[in-house]
Amino acid sequence: AHVASWLHQRHSRKIAKAETPLELISSFPVGEDVAILCISAGGRNKDILGAFQCLIEREPRELAILCAKVNSPLGKVARRYPFVNLLELDLPTGKDGFLATNSLLAFSIILIRAYAAAFQQKDNLPQQLAQLLGFPSRFSEIRDRLRNSCLGLWEKETLVVLHSSSTRSAALDLESKFTEAALGNT
């Protein structure tokens, strides 16, 4: 959601805001000049289903769903409303693990490519993850290089993550992963 918000602001020069389903439900009423994108990895969480129903009642100008599961409960409900733009896909990597890194990376790539196409720009993304990371192509080499690069970090009690507006979503994700996996303070 933070990647989508940043991309929207960067390309459209209009304000965008990332919110959790709870923030969305408890926020001010949605006006007819608002466009909303709901992003869900599995489309079955009660929070996203509740937020979607709330949004339907509030009638935003545009409502789109991006879900990494074809025929999810969210997708099935969204199909009832012809004005909802629904994009579903099954990740080639299969089901996400605890930290949902597969869907986060997939959503980021989809959003970067979609915004670039919508605004007739080149997305500049390589075709393979290894090229994106600038590492050798074998996963074991990537893992070993990252492990060695980060060795000094594990001794620290607290990490400070400095970021710019273009890397804010990565910094927020890093902080949430550290919290969720109980790795340390960031």
Side-chain angles (χ1 to χ4, degrees):
H2 288 280
V3 170
S5 174
W6 178 76
L7 287 166
H8 189 75
Q9 291 182 111
R10 180 174 175 235
H11 287 282
S12 73
R13 304 286 187 228
K14 294 182 179 178
I15 297 295
K17 183 178 179 186
E19 289 191 339
T20 66
L22 179 59
E23 289 171 326
L24 187 64
I25 289 170
S26 62
S27 66
F28 54 89
V30 171
E32 61 187 40
D33 59 339
V34 173
I36 296 178
L37 171 64
C38 294
I39 303 171
S40 179
R44 65 183 160 276
N45 184 289
K46 290 181 182 182
D47 291 349
I48 193 67
L49 293 167
F52 178 76
Q53 281 305 134
C54 180
L55 289 169
I56 291 296
E57 294 168 10
R58 293 180 180 181
E59 299 180 354
R61 180 178 53 84
E62 293 282 336
L63 179 54
I65 305 292
L66 175 57
C67 185
K69 181 69 178 153
V70 174
N71 293 321
S72 69
L74 179 60
K76 289 175 184 173
V77 173
R79 277 190 205 82
R80 294 184 207 154
Y81 303 94
F83 57 88
V84 174
N85 296 305
L86 174 64
L87 174 61
E88 296 176 299
L89 64 135
D90 282 325
L91 295 178
T93 54
K95 188 176 178 181
D96 260 330
F98 173 63
L99 297 176
T101 53
N102 292 334
S103 59
L104 284 170
L105 182 59
F107 286 142
S108 296
I109 290 169
I110 288 166
L111 290 165
I112 289 167
R113 289 186 172 154
Y115 269 93
F119 287 87
Q120 295 149 5
Q121 297 176 354
K122 190 169 168 44
D123 65 42
N124 295 321
L125 290 176
Q127 293 300 309
Q128 296 189 8
L129 179 61
Q131 294 169 322
L132 179 67
L133 298 174
F135 290 136
S137 59
R138 289 194 356 237
F139 177 74
S140 61
E141 292 177 39
I142 295 170
R143 183 194 61 224
D144 292 344
R145 187 177 276 182
L146 285 172
R147 182 180 291 137
N148 291 336
S149 296
C150 296
L151 278 176
L153 298 176
W154 309 132
E155 300 167 3
K156 307 294 182 195
E157 189 173 313
T158 300
L159 297 176
V160 176
V161 180
L162 302 176
H163 62 86
S164 66
S165 62
S166 64
T167 57
R168 181 176 191 265
S169 56
L172 289 168
D173 187 57
L174 182 64
E175 187 276 331
S176 72
K177 297 296 185 262
F178 265 67
T179 300
E180 290 173 21
L183 294 175
N185 301 317
T186 55

